[in-house]
Amino acid sequence: MENVSQDQAKNNQIRWRSAAEQKTYSSKLVEALRHVRRSSPPDNVSSRGRAVREKADKVLAIAAKGRMRWSRAILKKRLKLRLSNHKKAKDRSKLAAAGNSRRKNLKIEVPKKKRLRPLQRRVRVLGRLVPGCRKLSLPNLLEEVTDYIAALEMQVRAMATLTELLTGANAVAGNVAESSNRLEISRQLEHPPQS
Amino acid sequence: MDPIGGNEVRSMNGAKDVEFGVEAYQFGEELHSLMSGPPVTGNSFTALLDLPANQAMELLHSQAVDDSPSELRLKGHCVSHQSPYNHTLNWAPAFPSNTALIERSSKYSIFAAADATVDRVGGGGGGQGSPDSSSMPSNSRANVMKVKSEPADSGSNPNSLPHASGPTINEKQMNRKESGKKGKGSSKRGKTTANDNSEEVEKLPYVHVRARRGQATDSHSLAERARREKINVRLKLLQELVPGCNKISGMALVLDEIINHVQFLQRQVEFLSMRLAAVNSPMEFNVDSLFSAGNGSVTDSIFPSVMPLTWPEVQMNSDRQQWQFDYDKSANSALFHSSQRKMEL
């Protein structure tokens, strides 16, 4: 049983490293970026940056096909945010009176400091870093982290190549190869085919 | 059921002999080379191997034993499974020692035959599934029967022992480490024999863990050991993934490295998403064509091996405000140039 899960994990890792996966991710990301570009106001770069980050994560989670827990957690986060946005408008009036005060009291009364061993502390930190893995046991957490790291590396690779390609021909020529190709791309970008 | 079990064991032994004759040859050579090594006197021998005298004597009597790794392993299994024999083996004649070995060998043969493969890295058939667990109860009982009825089965010993040493050589290192614990384990040896036999017969979804020499054999420690092994396996995978983790020993530091790596990657994603957001050029182009045209070289050039060191530098130098400022002035290329310069370093 242990060997089977290990094989699965290795398959997953190989998947994240493949160029095909990166390609599909990049194309989906471009699609998502177009949405962001259209929807958000162009001047507020920071908010758009955050939106881009969220979209990138979301697309990553979709690329993971929901196999791992962190991907499901990322997708759930979007849903929850949307639902809570709808709910907030309704329930704000209710909460203000009773709920908030109760919550505040609870918070003040219970500032417990847990005496965690350093190892356990690190495990908790790691759990907080990976989305959706806060209260996970150590073996499962390690599995999630393995997949998450592989996925993140792919995300970084894809986004870097994308920015590289998009920020175009002004780049330092020595480092980046295929300058002719880039000129072509920049020409395409300057005069995009109106679709 | 027991006679049938005995027949099973016997047939399995035979099949195994045929199957693993080659291995026996290889390990026989190894054993012969090692047999010349250890000294004659019992005391120094045991001192060398850090073993109690009676068991050392028992093994000196047996036929193909004197290499330390297989000996430790044999002892391990001997201790956990055949404790009644330990008490009688002070300078015992060859007969009981042979039977002890026969039992051990037959135990190995069970795993081998049920498995029908050589590869049993997971500790004597760890996680092998139904054939193991179903055949185990009958065979463990059949062992006892067989031992009493076939004292002269010494022929199978040299074959089965070297074979058995093969797959468990992986455990050898772990055995050496854990032989230090024999002091603790010895106290629990006596009472848990019956327990052991039933403990090994674990249910299907559980990982099969073999109690090694000197280790506590109650269910709690077995479960804990299985859990620790799971964790260690996963940690090893992670260590391979995270660069620079292979040299670090100790779980806390490794976890630190992993945490740093995850944070680093997340920061990179953040950074890149900000840049992507600032990119003003329209994105109506075919991504596939871009990728087909020399993508590999682009990625290689972007990510030289020095990248992990330089990206954080870029991060620290340019905080969010600076980015906004830069982007507002459309100094995109400036930022890019600075990062490129750093990467070139």
Side-chain angles (χ1 to χ4, degrees):
Chain A
M1 200 177 92
E2 187 62 36
N3 293 334
V4 170
S5 67
Q6 275 182 52
D7 288 336
Q8 273 181 8
K10 282 191 181 146
N11 284 339
N12 279 346
Q13 278 190 39
I14 293 171
R15 207 166 45 92
W16 285 121
R17 297 237 168 110
S18 67
E21 188 73 37
Q22 193 174 329
K23 233 195 254 187
T24 30
Y25 176 72
S26 304
S27 47
K28 284 189 193 159
L29 185 60
V30 167
E31 197 56 48
L33 287 175
R34 270 186 225 148
H35 282 297
V36 172
R37 173 81 64 72
R38 271 182 237 137
S39 58
S40 75
D43 297 332
N44 196 353
V45 186
S46 59
S47 76
R48 216 214 284 189
R50 215 165 297 133
V52 169
R53 167 78 195 273
E54 288 175 0
K55 266 295 194 275
D57 286 341
K58 186 171 173 190
V59 177
L60 189 67
I62 291 173
K65 298 189 182 97
R67 269 187 221 123
M68 300 302 289
R69 197 188 164 90
W70 57 264
S71 58
R72 293 194 288 271
I74 290 179
L75 294 171
K76 266 189 245 171
K77 246 190 259 179
R78 313 292 156 202
L79 277 174
K80 273 188 189 166
L81 263 175
R82 278 186 211 153
L83 284 174
S84 69
N85 277 334
H86 289 306
K87 270 195 174 180
K88 258 188 199 172
K90 293 184 207 167
D91 299 341
R92 201 167 283 170
S93 53
K94 284 188 220 166
L95 282 174
N100 278 343
S101 55
R102 227 183 295 137
R103 266 186 220 143
K104 272 187 196 165
N105 282 339
L106 278 173
K107 268 191 182 172
I108 292 170
E109 282 168 9
V110 190
K112 253 191 260 178
K113 185 168 184 187
K114 254 195 161 176
R115 197 89 18 143
L116 292 169
R117 301 214 178 84
L119 200 63
Q120 195 66 6
R121 242 188 294 147
R122 288 174 174 94
V123 171
R124 289 281 168 258
V125 169
L126 197 55
R128 283 205 305 266
L129 277 179
V130 182
C133 296
R134 276 185 203 209
K135 291 188 184 174
L136 214 51
S137 57
L138 187 51
N140 294 327
L141 180 60
L142 290 177
E143 207 177 311
E144 293 282 325
V145 170
T146 314
D147 199 62
Y148 188 55
I149 286 180
L152 275 181
E153 285 182 354
M154 190 212 76
Q155 189 179 19
V156 163
R157 275 199 302 268
M159 288 174 75
T161 36
L162 214 55
T163 49
E164 183 77 12
L165 294 169
L166 287 178
T167 52
N170 294 338
V172 177
N175 233 4
V176 185
E178 317 295 322
S179 48
S180 58
N181 193 26
R182 316 187 100 265
L183 283 174
E184 203 179 296
I185 292 168
S186 64
R187 235 175 277 134
Q188 271 188 25
L189 293 173
E190 281 162 22
H191 309 287
Q194 295 298 325
S195 53
Chain B
M1 187 185 112
D2 279 348
I4 297 172
N7 284 334
E8 275 178 31
V9 174
R10 232 166 288 139
S11 64
M12 279 192 270
N13 245 347
K16 188 192 43 53
D17 287 346
V18 170
E19 224 175 302
F20 299 116
V22 178
E23 275 187 62
Y25 175 69
Q26 293 167 351
F27 287 113
E29 282 185 355
E30 194 182 310
L31 290 172
H32 279 302
S33 64
L34 286 166
M35 268 168 81
S36 52
V40 184
T41 59
N43 287 337
S44 59
F45 185 58
T46 54
L48 185 68
L49 295 175
D50 194 24
L51 292 167
N54 56 351
Q55 294 186 359
M57 287 309 117
E58 162 222 328
L59 286 170
L60 278 176
H61 279 303
S62 65
Q63 296 176 3
V65 234
D66 295 8
D67 65 323
S68 38
S70 65
E71 183 173 2
L72 276 179
R73 173 194 39 76
L74 289 174
K75 282 192 198 305
H77 294 135
C78 163
V79 167
S80 57
H81 306 312
Q82 293 92 19
S83 52
Y85 287 100
N86 291 337
H87 304 304
T88 61
L89 282 171
N90 278 321
W91 286 101
F95 180 79
S97 65
N98 273 347
T99 57
L101 289 172
I102 290 167
E103 251 199 60
R104 263 178 268 140
S105 66
S106 53
K107 274 224 145 76
Y108 298 140
S109 68
I110 290 162
F111 286 120
D115 215 5
T117 56
V118 187
D119 167 351
R120 287 196 309 292
V121 177
Q128 289 309 320
S130 46
D132 249 358
S133 52
S134 57
S135 59
M136 272 228 255
S138 61
N139 288 330
S140 56
R141 253 162 267 138
N143 274 341
V144 181
M145 296 289 297
K146 189 190 166 213
V147 161
K148 290 180 184 152
S149 60
E150 291 188 338
D153 197 11
S154 54
S156 67
N157 268 354
N159 286 339
S160 53
L161 277 180
H163 141 66
S165 71
T168 50
I169 270 179
N170 294 311
E171 303 177 33
K172 151 172 84 166
Q173 293 103 4
M174 299 212 263
N175 276 335
R176 279 216 196 97
K177 273 188 241 160
E178 271 137 21
S179 67
K181 285 196 202 163
K182 64 174 169 63
K184 291 185 224 159
S186 57
S187 59
K188 302 196 180 181
R189 247 186 277 149
K191 57 178 175 174
T192 51
T193 348
N195 220 5
D196 293 343
N197 279 338
S198 58
E199 229 91 66
E200 292 171 27
V201 183
E202 297 181 45
K203 313 285 187 312
L204 281 174
Y206 288 90
V207 175
H208 291 252
V209 175
R210 214 161 187 171
R212 292 184 204 98
R213 165 173 180 67
Q215 283 191 341
T217 51
D218 55 332
S219 64
H220 287 297
S221 35
L222 271 179
E224 223 182 274
R225 210 174 310 130
R227 178 177 168 268
R228 258 181 274 146
E229 280 180 21
K230 260 200 272 182
I231 289 178
N232 285 331
V233 161
R234 305 238 170 102
L235 194 65
K236 227 186 301 174
L237 276 178
L238 258 179
Q239 273 187 302
E240 290 166 16
L241 203 53
V242 177
C245 250
N246 286 323
K247 304 161 197 164
I248 301 180
S249 60
M251 195 175 218
L253 297 172
V254 169
L255 281 179
D256 270 344
E257 267 307 309
I258 295 172
I259 289 174
N260 286 336
H261 192 63
V262 170
Q263 280 175 337
F264 163 68
L265 287 173
Q266 282 177 339
R267 261 182 280 143
Q268 261 191 297
V269 170
E270 189 88 37
F271 178 58
L272 284 171
S273 63
M274 295 294 282
R275 278 181 50 191
L276 262 180
V279 165
N280 284 324
S281 55
M283 287 186 283
E284 273 95 36
F285 53 84
N286 192 8
V287 183
D288 287 330
S289 65
L290 288 173
F291 270 100
S292 58
N295 190 25
S297 57
V298 172
T299 43
D300 289 339
S301 57
I302 294 175
F303 295 105
S305 57
V306 87
M307 183 201 73
L309 300 172
T310 54
W311 274 114
E313 285 174 32
V314 180
Q315 289 288 334
M316 285 184 260
N317 289 337
S318 53
D319 57 340
R320 297 287 159 75
Q321 263 115 36
Q322 194 185 348
W323 282 345
Q324 283 186 20
F325 186 68
D326 281 344
Y327 284 128
D328 285 342
K329 288 200 168 176
S330 71
N332 213 0
S333 52
L335 233 189
F336 192 72
H337 278 291
S338 65
S339 64
Q340 280 289 331
R341 239 176 286 129
K342 299 232 155 84
M343 287 204 282
E344 275 173 286
L345 288 174

